[in-house]
mmCIF file of all heavy atoms in Angstrom:
data_model
loop_
_atom_site.group_PDB
_atom_site.id
_atom_site.type_symbol
_atom_site.label_atom_id
_atom_site.label_comp_id
_atom_site.label_asym_id
_atom_site.label_seq_id
_atom_site.Cartn_x
_atom_site.Cartn_y
_atom_site.Cartn_z
ATOM 1 N N PRO A 1 -4.010 -16.684 -5.456
ATOM 2 C CA PRO A 1 -4.319 -17.792 -6.367
ATOM 3 C C PRO A 1 -5.508 -17.453 -7.263
ATOM 4 O O PRO A 1 -6.585 -17.100 -6.771
ATOM 5 C CB PRO A 1 -4.646 -18.950 -5.428
ATOM 6 C CG PRO A 1 -3.963 -18.598 -4.139
ATOM 7 C CD PRO A 1 -4.041 -17.104 -4.050
ATOM 8 N N GLY A 2 -5.319 -17.553 -8.561
ATOM 9 C CA GLY A 2 -6.381 -17.289 -9.511
ATOM 10 C C GLY A 2 -6.791 -15.835 -9.631
ATOM 11 O O GLY A 2 -7.857 -15.552 -10.191
ATOM 12 N N LYS A 3 -5.973 -14.920 -9.125
ATOM 13 C CA LYS A 3 -6.302 -13.503 -9.148
ATOM 14 C C LYS A 3 -5.250 -12.701 -9.905
ATOM 15 O O LYS A 3 -4.149 -13.171 -10.167
ATOM 16 C CB LYS A 3 -6.429 -12.960 -7.722
ATOM 17 C CG LYS A 3 -7.506 -13.635 -6.878
ATOM 18 C CD LYS A 3 -7.550 -13.040 -5.480
ATOM 19 C CE LYS A 3 -8.609 -13.708 -4.627
ATOM 20 N NZ LYS A 3 -8.633 -13.143 -3.248
ATOM 21 N N GLN A 4 -5.611 -11.464 -10.247
ATOM 22 C CA GLN A 4 -4.682 -10.540 -10.869
ATOM 23 C C GLN A 4 -3.774 -9.908 -9.820
ATOM 24 O O GLN A 4 -4.060 -9.948 -8.623
ATOM 25 C CB GLN A 4 -5.443 -9.444 -11.618
ATOM 26 C CG GLN A 4 -6.283 -9.942 -12.778
ATOM 27 C CD GLN A 4 -6.992 -8.815 -13.500
ATOM 28 O OE1 GLN A 4 -7.045 -7.681 -13.012
ATOM 29 N NE2 GLN A 4 -7.533 -9.107 -14.663
ATOM 30 N N ARG A 5 -2.673 -9.321 -10.284
ATOM 31 C CA ARG A 5 -1.792 -8.589 -9.394
ATOM 32 C C ARG A 5 -2.389 -7.214 -9.112
ATOM 33 O O ARG A 5 -2.607 -6.426 -10.033
ATOM 34 C CB ARG A 5 -0.399 -8.452 -10.003
ATOM 35 C CG ARG A 5 0.614 -7.813 -9.066
ATOM 36 C CD ARG A 5 1.997 -7.701 -9.681
ATOM 37 N NE ARG A 5 2.560 -9.004 -10.001
ATOM 38 C CZ ARG A 5 3.814 -9.196 -10.390
ATOM 39 N NH1 ARG A 5 4.643 -8.165 -10.501
ATOM 40 N NH2 ARG A 5 4.231 -10.417 -10.672
ATOM 41 N N ASP A 6 -2.663 -6.935 -7.842
ATOM 42 C CA ASP A 6 -3.349 -5.713 -7.440
ATOM 43 C C ASP A 6 -2.504 -4.898 -6.472
ATOM 44 O O ASP A 6 -1.689 -5.433 -5.718
ATOM 45 C CB ASP A 6 -4.689 -6.031 -6.769
ATOM 46 C CG ASP A 6 -5.690 -6.666 -7.710
ATOM 47 O OD1 ASP A 6 -5.713 -6.290 -8.892
ATOM 48 O OD2 ASP A 6 -6.460 -7.538 -7.252
ATOM 49 N N LEU A 7 -2.747 -3.599 -6.476
ATOM 50 C CA LEU A 7 -2.093 -2.685 -5.543
ATOM 51 C C LEU A 7 -2.506 -2.992 -4.115
ATOM 52 O O LEU A 7 -3.688 -3.205 -3.830
ATOM 53 C CB LEU A 7 -2.472 -1.243 -5.884
ATOM 54 C CG LEU A 7 -2.039 -0.173 -4.889
ATOM 55 C CD1 LEU A 7 -0.534 0.030 -4.963
ATOM 56 C CD2 LEU A 7 -2.772 1.137 -5.150
ATOM 57 N N VAL A 8 -1.547 -3.001 -3.198
ATOM 58 C CA VAL A 8 -1.804 -3.098 -1.772
ATOM 59 C C VAL A 8 -1.621 -1.737 -1.117
ATOM 60 O O VAL A 8 -2.528 -1.221 -0.462
ATOM 61 C CB VAL A 8 -0.895 -4.135 -1.098
ATOM 62 C CG1 VAL A 8 -1.153 -4.172 0.409
ATOM 63 C CG2 VAL A 8 -1.103 -5.510 -1.710
ATOM 64 N N ALA A 9 -0.447 -1.150 -1.275
ATOM 65 C CA ALA A 9 -0.146 0.142 -0.672
ATOM 66 C C ALA A 9 1.062 0.750 -1.355
ATOM 67 O O ALA A 9 1.950 0.028 -1.823
ATOM 68 C CB ALA A 9 0.119 0.007 0.829
ATOM 69 N N VAL A 10 1.108 2.081 -1.413
ATOM 70 C CA VAL A 10 2.257 2.794 -1.951
ATOM 71 C C VAL A 10 2.592 3.957 -1.040
ATOM 72 O O VAL A 10 1.736 4.455 -0.302
ATOM 73 C CB VAL A 10 2.023 3.313 -3.393
ATOM 74 C CG1 VAL A 10 1.890 2.149 -4.366
ATOM 75 C CG2 VAL A 10 0.797 4.207 -3.455
ATOM 76 N N ILE A 11 3.848 4.406 -1.105
ATOM 77 C CA ILE A 11 4.304 5.532 -0.306
ATOM 78 C C ILE A 11 5.327 6.319 -1.109
ATOM 79 O O ILE A 11 6.224 5.746 -1.726
ATOM 80 C CB ILE A 11 4.881 5.056 1.049
ATOM 81 C CG1 ILE A 11 5.277 6.238 1.924
ATOM 82 C CG2 ILE A 11 6.039 4.085 0.845
ATOM 83 C CD1 ILE A 11 5.574 5.847 3.371
ATOM 84 N N THR A 12 5.197 7.642 -1.111
ATOM 85 C CA THR A 12 6.112 8.494 -1.853
ATOM 86 C C THR A 12 7.351 8.804 -1.030
ATOM 87 O O THR A 12 7.446 8.457 0.150
ATOM 88 C CB THR A 12 5.446 9.814 -2.259
ATOM 89 O OG1 THR A 12 5.256 10.633 -1.097
ATOM 90 C CG2 THR A 12 4.095 9.567 -2.928
ATOM 91 N N ASP A 13 8.307 9.503 -1.652
ATOM 92 C CA ASP A 13 9.535 9.874 -0.960
ATOM 93 C C ASP A 13 9.286 10.823 0.195
ATOM 94 O O ASP A 13 10.122 10.907 1.107
ATOM 95 C CB ASP A 13 10.529 10.494 -1.949
ATOM 96 C CG ASP A 13 9.925 11.649 -2.722
ATOM 97 O OD1 ASP A 13 9.067 11.397 -3.591
ATOM 98 O OD2 ASP A 13 10.328 12.800 -2.469
ATOM 99 N N ILE A 14 8.174 11.555 0.177
ATOM 100 C CA ILE A 14 7.860 12.469 1.263
ATOM 101 C C ILE A 14 6.822 11.904 2.225
ATOM 102 O O ILE A 14 6.347 12.608 3.117
ATOM 103 C CB ILE A 14 7.398 13.842 0.749
ATOM 104 C CG1 ILE A 14 6.145 13.713 -0.109
ATOM 105 C CG2 ILE A 14 8.521 14.514 -0.027
ATOM 106 C CD1 ILE A 14 5.525 15.057 -0.461
ATOM 107 N N GLY A 15 6.445 10.634 2.047
ATOM 108 C CA GLY A 15 5.614 9.961 3.022
ATOM 109 C C GLY A 15 4.129 9.933 2.752
ATOM 110 O O GLY A 15 3.371 9.449 3.613
ATOM 111 N N SER A 16 3.679 10.412 1.610
ATOM 112 C CA SER A 16 2.264 10.301 1.270
ATOM 113 C C SER A 16 1.928 8.850 0.939
ATOM 114 O O SER A 16 2.682 8.182 0.242
ATOM 115 C CB SER A 16 1.920 11.196 0.087
ATOM 116 O OG SER A 16 2.152 12.556 0.401
ATOM 117 N N THR A 17 0.791 8.375 1.434
ATOM 118 C CA THR A 17 0.430 6.968 1.285
ATOM 119 C C THR A 17 -0.914 6.800 0.606
ATOM 120 O O THR A 17 -1.765 7.690 0.620
ATOM 121 C CB THR A 17 0.379 6.264 2.646
ATOM 122 O OG1 THR A 17 -0.596 6.905 3.483
ATOM 123 C CG2 THR A 17 1.736 6.312 3.333
ATOM 124 N N ASN A 18 -1.093 5.623 0.029
ATOM 125 C CA ASN A 18 -2.362 5.228 -0.548
ATOM 126 C C ASN A 18 -2.521 3.731 -0.340
ATOM 127 O O ASN A 18 -1.566 2.976 -0.541
ATOM 128 C CB ASN A 18 -2.433 5.574 -2.036
ATOM 129 C CG ASN A 18 -3.812 5.369 -2.618
ATOM 130 O OD1 ASN A 18 -4.815 5.654 -1.977
ATOM 131 N ND2 ASN A 18 -3.874 4.872 -3.848
ATOM 132 N N TYR A 19 -3.730 3.308 0.058
ATOM 133 C CA TYR A 19 -3.995 1.911 0.362
ATOM 134 C C TYR A 19 -5.185 1.398 -0.433
ATOM 135 O O TYR A 19 -6.129 2.137 -0.720
ATOM 136 C CB TYR A 19 -4.317 1.725 1.845
ATOM 137 C CG TYR A 19 -3.190 2.031 2.792
ATOM 138 C CD1 TYR A 19 -3.025 3.309 3.304
ATOM 139 C CD2 TYR A 19 -2.311 1.033 3.192
ATOM 140 C CE1 TYR A 19 -1.998 3.590 4.186
ATOM 141 C CE2 TYR A 19 -1.280 1.312 4.077
ATOM 142 C CZ TYR A 19 -1.125 2.591 4.576
ATOM 143 O OH TYR A 19 -0.107 2.858 5.458
ATOM 144 N N ALA A 20 -5.140 0.113 -0.753
ATOM 145 C CA ALA A 20 -6.322 -0.546 -1.270
ATOM 146 C C ALA A 20 -7.396 -0.567 -0.190
ATOM 147 O O ALA A 20 -7.100 -0.703 1.004
ATOM 148 C CB ALA A 20 -5.994 -1.966 -1.705
ATOM 149 N N ASP A 21 -8.652 -0.435 -0.604
ATOM 150 C CA ASP A 21 -9.743 -0.434 0.369
ATOM 151 C C ASP A 21 -9.764 -1.712 1.212
ATOM 152 O O ASP A 21 -10.137 -1.682 2.386
ATOM 153 C CB ASP A 21 -11.080 -0.272 -0.345
ATOM 154 C CG ASP A 21 -11.292 1.129 -0.887
ATOM 155 O OD1 ASP A 21 -10.605 2.065 -0.438
ATOM 156 O OD2 ASP A 21 -12.162 1.292 -1.764
ATOM 157 N N SER A 22 -9.349 -2.820 0.635
ATOM 158 C CA SER A 22 -9.417 -4.095 1.319
ATOM 159 C C SER A 22 -8.439 -4.218 2.485
ATOM 160 O O SER A 22 -8.611 -5.086 3.345
ATOM 161 C CB SER A 22 -9.173 -5.243 0.333
ATOM 162 O OG SER A 22 -7.901 -5.118 -0.277
ATOM 163 N N VAL A 23 -7.414 -3.367 2.530
ATOM 164 C CA VAL A 23 -6.410 -3.457 3.589
ATOM 165 C C VAL A 23 -6.360 -2.214 4.464
ATOM 166 O O VAL A 23 -5.661 -2.221 5.489
ATOM 167 C CB VAL A 23 -5.006 -3.735 3.019
ATOM 168 C CG1 VAL A 23 -5.020 -4.960 2.124
ATOM 169 C CG2 VAL A 23 -4.472 -2.522 2.268
ATOM 170 N N LYS A 24 -7.073 -1.185 4.106
ATOM 171 C CA LYS A 24 -7.037 0.070 4.854
ATOM 172 C C LYS A 24 -7.490 -0.161 6.291
ATOM 173 O O LYS A 24 -8.523 -0.781 6.545
ATOM 174 C CB LYS A 24 -7.914 1.117 4.176
ATOM 175 C CG LYS A 24 -7.682 2.534 4.668
ATOM 176 C CD LYS A 24 -8.423 3.542 3.802
ATOM 177 C CE LYS A 24 -8.100 4.968 4.208
ATOM 178 N NZ LYS A 24 -8.784 5.959 3.336
ATOM 179 N N GLY A 25 -6.708 0.344 7.239
ATOM 180 C CA GLY A 25 -6.992 0.137 8.650
ATOM 181 C C GLY A 25 -6.350 -1.102 9.237
ATOM 182 O O GLY A 25 -6.285 -1.230 10.462
ATOM 183 N N ARG A 26 -5.883 -2.012 8.391
ATOM 184 C CA ARG A 26 -5.218 -3.228 8.856
ATOM 185 C C ARG A 26 -3.725 -3.241 8.534
ATOM 186 O O ARG A 26 -2.933 -3.789 9.301
ATOM 187 C CB ARG A 26 -5.863 -4.469 8.232
ATOM 188 C CG ARG A 26 -7.338 -4.629 8.573
ATOM 189 C CD ARG A 26 -7.870 -5.971 8.101
ATOM 190 N NE ARG A 26 -7.786 -6.116 6.643
ATOM 191 C CZ ARG A 26 -7.081 -7.050 6.022
ATOM 192 N NH1 ARG A 26 -6.389 -7.948 6.721
ATOM 193 N NH2 ARG A 26 -7.069 -7.116 4.700
ATOM 194 N N PHE A 27 -3.354 -2.677 7.390
ATOM 195 C CA PHE A 27 -1.960 -2.657 6.955
ATOM 196 C C PHE A 27 -1.402 -1.249 7.079
ATOM 197 O O PHE A 27 -2.138 -0.256 6.975
ATOM 198 C CB PHE A 27 -1.831 -3.100 5.494
ATOM 199 C CG PHE A 27 -2.137 -4.543 5.224
ATOM 200 C CD1 PHE A 27 -2.685 -5.370 6.189
ATOM 201 C CD2 PHE A 27 -1.869 -5.074 3.970
ATOM 202 C CE1 PHE A 27 -2.970 -6.699 5.933
ATOM 203 C CE2 PHE A 27 -2.147 -6.401 3.699
ATOM 204 C CZ PHE A 27 -2.695 -7.213 4.671
ATOM 205 N N ALA A 28 -0.094 -1.149 7.272
ATOM 206 C CA ALA A 28 0.582 0.139 7.328
ATOM 207 C C ALA A 28 1.893 0.062 6.555
ATOM 208 O O ALA A 28 2.710 -0.826 6.812
ATOM 209 C CB ALA A 28 0.841 0.562 8.770
ATOM 210 N N ILE A 29 2.073 0.978 5.616
ATOM 211 C CA ILE A 29 3.299 1.039 4.843
ATOM 212 C C ILE A 29 4.189 2.143 5.398
ATOM 213 O O ILE A 29 3.704 3.191 5.828
ATOM 214 C CB ILE A 29 3.001 1.256 3.344
ATOM 215 C CG1 ILE A 29 4.268 1.087 2.509
ATOM 216 C CG2 ILE A 29 2.348 2.604 3.091
ATOM 217 C CD1 ILE A 29 4.003 1.028 1.013
ATOM 218 N N SER A 30 5.494 1.905 5.400
ATOM 219 C CA SER A 30 6.458 2.893 5.847
ATOM 220 C C SER A 30 7.753 2.705 5.074
ATOM 221 O O SER A 30 7.926 1.705 4.367
ATOM 222 C CB SER A 30 6.706 2.782 7.359
ATOM 223 O OG SER A 30 7.224 1.507 7.693
ATOM 224 N N ARG A 31 8.664 3.676 5.194
ATOM 225 C CA ARG A 31 9.929 3.570 4.488
ATOM 226 C C ARG A 31 11.037 4.247 5.260
ATOM 227 O O ARG A 31 10.804 5.152 6.071
ATOM 228 C CB ARG A 31 9.829 4.165 3.076
ATOM 229 C CG ARG A 31 9.501 5.645 3.028
ATOM 230 C CD ARG A 31 9.239 6.098 1.589
ATOM 231 N NE ARG A 31 10.462 6.118 0.796
ATOM 232 C CZ ARG A 31 10.493 6.173 -0.532
ATOM 233 N NH1 ARG A 31 9.365 6.203 -1.221
ATOM 234 N NH2 ARG A 31 11.657 6.199 -1.170
ATOM 235 N N ASP A 32 12.253 3.796 5.001
ATOM 236 C CA ASP A 32 13.465 4.384 5.546
ATOM 237 C C ASP A 32 14.276 4.855 4.351
ATOM 238 O O ASP A 32 14.909 4.049 3.665
ATOM 239 C CB ASP A 32 14.238 3.363 6.373
ATOM 240 C CG ASP A 32 15.463 3.942 7.047
ATOM 241 O OD1 ASP A 32 16.003 4.951 6.567
ATOM 242 O OD2 ASP A 32 15.885 3.380 8.072
ATOM 243 N N ASN A 33 14.244 6.153 4.090
ATOM 244 C CA ASN A 33 14.904 6.682 2.898
ATOM 245 C C ASN A 33 16.418 6.496 2.942
ATOM 246 O O ASN A 33 17.049 6.278 1.905
ATOM 247 C CB ASN A 33 14.563 8.162 2.723
ATOM 248 C CG ASN A 33 13.120 8.390 2.326
ATOM 249 O OD1 ASN A 33 12.446 7.472 1.850
ATOM 250 N ND2 ASN A 33 12.641 9.610 2.518
#
């Protein structure tokens, strides 16, 4: 609410990940190709 759309987490096709500092250690992204 009242905020911009911000990155939470991304993951590449080979499994490399990147997280926003605000969620690192609490959230985990994964994928099923």
Side-chain angles (χ1 to χ4, degrees):
K3 300 180 180 179
Q4 296 181 348
R5 186 179 298 189
D6 294 324
L7 171 72
V8 178
V10 293
I11 184 168
T12 71
D13 54 288
I14 60 171
S16 298
T17 60
N18 189 39
Y19 295 90
D21 288 341
S22 59
V23 306
K24 194 171 185 178
R26 300 188 298 119
F27 292 9
I29 189 169
S30 61
R31 62 188 289 164
D32 184 336
N33 290 341

